[in-house]
Amino acid sequence: MIKINNKKLAKFFGYKIIRLVILLIVIASISFIMIQLSPIDPVRAYLGQRIVSQEQLAIMGNYWGTNLSLGERVMGWLQTLASGSMGFSLIYRVPVTEVIMQKFTASVVLMAVSWVISGIVGFGLGVLAGAKEGTIIDKAIKTYCYILQSTPTFWIGLVLLMVFSVYLGWFPIGLSVPIGQLSDTVTFWQWLYRLILPAFTLSIVGIASLTMYTRDKLISIKKSDYFLFAQARGESFWGIIKNHGIRNILLPAITIQFLSFNELFGGTVLVEQVFAYPGIGQATVAAGLRSDVPLLLGIVLISTVFVFVGNFIADIIYEYVDPRIRGEDDE
């Protein structure tokens, strides 16, 4: 039974919270400065093709703070964040937090389904390849992983879209809502049907790294003394894999899967663009192409928090769940 040292746990959480705050301040400042130094003009992005006078341009410049120094603009941006606001989206004409909540909710479902599928399939293939080391099964799985790791995500999405949607017609070509239908009237099965192909694409992209890691860990365990001792006692091969192999590599594999949140988020941006899925990925591309600076900065911050949460959970597993790594004061 795991006994947690409450003092150490509070220190751990406090350290992580402070680290998150510092990280957000640094990321917010750097991303804001980079956009300010880029050719993007928030006033022109807001006005679009409308023609206005110089006086009106000056008024808009005062509103957006473009007439202030860079340091004053950075401090103003940080003060806005500290008040709990991320500004107003130029594309959607609503607060950025509202846009992110709506888009990120759709993306979280896609990412969660893909993450679970890639974790289960990747772990299973890794165990099979490690158990069948050197056989044609092992070589086939390794070849599959090497191909996946060297193939761009958007290319895999386009191939699957052409095969399953265009040629076979099994799935819709894109969009999470049927054409001519309001999003409020979409049934659960319609939504699930349109989620399958994007989730499948995103999941097979994340399989390779976990499979190769699980395979290598299982092969090293097969060479351990306790594994050889179990074989000498006459236990069945798959019984030893189950009782000594999987039990020892499961927690590290779960940790690796949590550390893949950054790859998951990056893959989501590309997959959503290929399948026209209305999530945070599409919002990111739209914000970049249409110079929606407040939305772009908001997405940068929310992606930072998302990746931090994945690393944070992995750290918890390392510190408090894995008995081989947990400190003596937690025993």
Side-chain angles (χ1 to χ4, degrees):
M1 182 178 178
I2 299 174
K3 294 181 180 178
I4 302 296
N5 185 321
N6 292 330
K7 186 177 179 181
K8 183 180 178 182
L9 183 65
K11 185 178 179 182
F12 176 79
F13 275 89
Y15 170 73
K16 289 295 179 183
I17 291 172
I18 293 173
R19 191 173 178 180
L20 175 61
V21 172
I22 295 174
L23 178 66
L24 287 176
I25 292 174
V26 172
I27 293 293
S29 302
I30 292 177
S31 54
F32 184 84
I33 291 172
M34 289 178 67
I35 288 183
Q36 291 298 315
L37 296 178
S38 72
I40 296 176
D41 185 348
V43 176
R44 282 296 174 191
Y46 178 77
L47 294 174
Q49 299 300 323
R50 284 173 287 183
I51 300 174
V52 296
S53 63
Q54 290 298 321
E55 291 76 14
Q56 290 172 313
L57 273 178
I59 294 173
M60 294 298 300
N62 288 329
Y63 177 78
W64 289 103
T66 54
N67 55 348
L68 300 175
S69 66
L70 182 59
E72 290 173 326
R73 277 179 277 172
V74 172
M75 291 306 298
W77 164 239
L78 294 179
Q79 287 173 357
T80 303
L81 286 180
S83 67
S85 172
M86 292 184 181
F88 204 80
S89 170
L90 304 180
I91 300 176
Y92 300 96
R93 308 293 180 180
V94 294
V96 169
T97 50
E98 191 175 319
V99 178
I100 289 179
M101 284 184 65
Q102 181 188 359
K103 300 293 183 181
F104 199 68
T105 302
S107 294
V108 162
V109 176
L110 174 63
M111 287 189 285
V113 173
S114 306
W115 186 81
V116 172
I117 294 174
S118 65
I120 295 173
V121 176
F123 185 77
L125 288 177
V127 170
L128 183 61
K132 296 288 185 180
E133 180 190 5
T135 65
I136 190 170
I137 296 176
D138 179 31
K139 293 176 181 175
I141 292 175
K142 282 198 300 181
T143 304
Y144 168 74
C145 292
Y146 291 149
I147 292 174
L148 278 183
Q149 283 188 320
S150 57
T151 306
T153 304
F154 72 91
W155 188 84
I156 295 176
L158 288 174
V159 170
L160 294 177
L161 193 65
M162 291 175 63
V163 173
F164 293 103
S165 298
V166 177
Y167 294 119
L168 297 177
W170 291 356
F171 298 100
I173 293 178
L175 304 176
S176 64
V177 177
I179 296 175
Q181 187 172 348
L182 296 175
S183 59
D184 297 338
T185 61
V186 175
T187 65
F188 172 77
W189 297 111
Q190 285 179 317
W191 168 79
L192 185 63
Y193 176 56
R194 290 172 175 273
L195 182 70
I196 292 175
L197 201 54
F200 178 66
T201 304
L202 193 57
S203 61
I204 63 173
V205 172
I207 285 174
S209 57
L210 182 62
T211 299
M212 295 305 294
Y213 175 81
T214 305
R215 174 189 177 276
D216 292 342
K217 291 293 289 184
L218 186 60
I219 289 174
S220 65
I221 286 176
K222 283 169 62 181
K223 297 175 183 175
S224 62
D225 293 339
Y226 61 86
F227 194 94
L228 297 174
F229 179 69
Q231 278 186 313
R233 286 187 306 185
E235 294 185 32
S236 67
F237 178 75
W238 286 107
I240 303 173
I241 292 291
K242 176 186 174 184
N243 296 326
H244 300 287
I246 293 177
R247 185 171 294 178
N248 281 284
I249 63 176
L250 185 57
L251 273 178
I254 292 174
T255 307
I256 290 295
Q257 189 68 351
F258 275 111
L259 290 174
S260 67
F261 270 29
N262 57 338
E263 298 173 8
L264 184 66
F265 193 90
T268 302
V269 173
L270 299 175
V271 168
E272 287 184 0
Q273 197 62 21
V274 171
F275 291 95
Y277 188 87
I280 198 72
Q282 269 215 333
T284 305
V285 175
L289 293 177
R290 299 173 65 178
S291 304
D292 191 342
V293 176
L295 180 57
L296 201 56
L297 290 171
I299 292 173
V300 170
L301 293 179
I302 200 67
S303 63
T304 302
V305 174
F306 179 76
V307 174
F308 184 88
V309 168
N311 294 338
F312 177 66
I313 297 173
D315 287 345
I316 291 177
I317 295 174
Y318 268 122
E319 291 285 338
Y320 295 101
V321 179
D322 195 334
R324 295 163 298 181
I325 303 172
R326 204 168 57 239
E328 292 182 356
D329 51 347
D330 293 331
E331 301 288 349

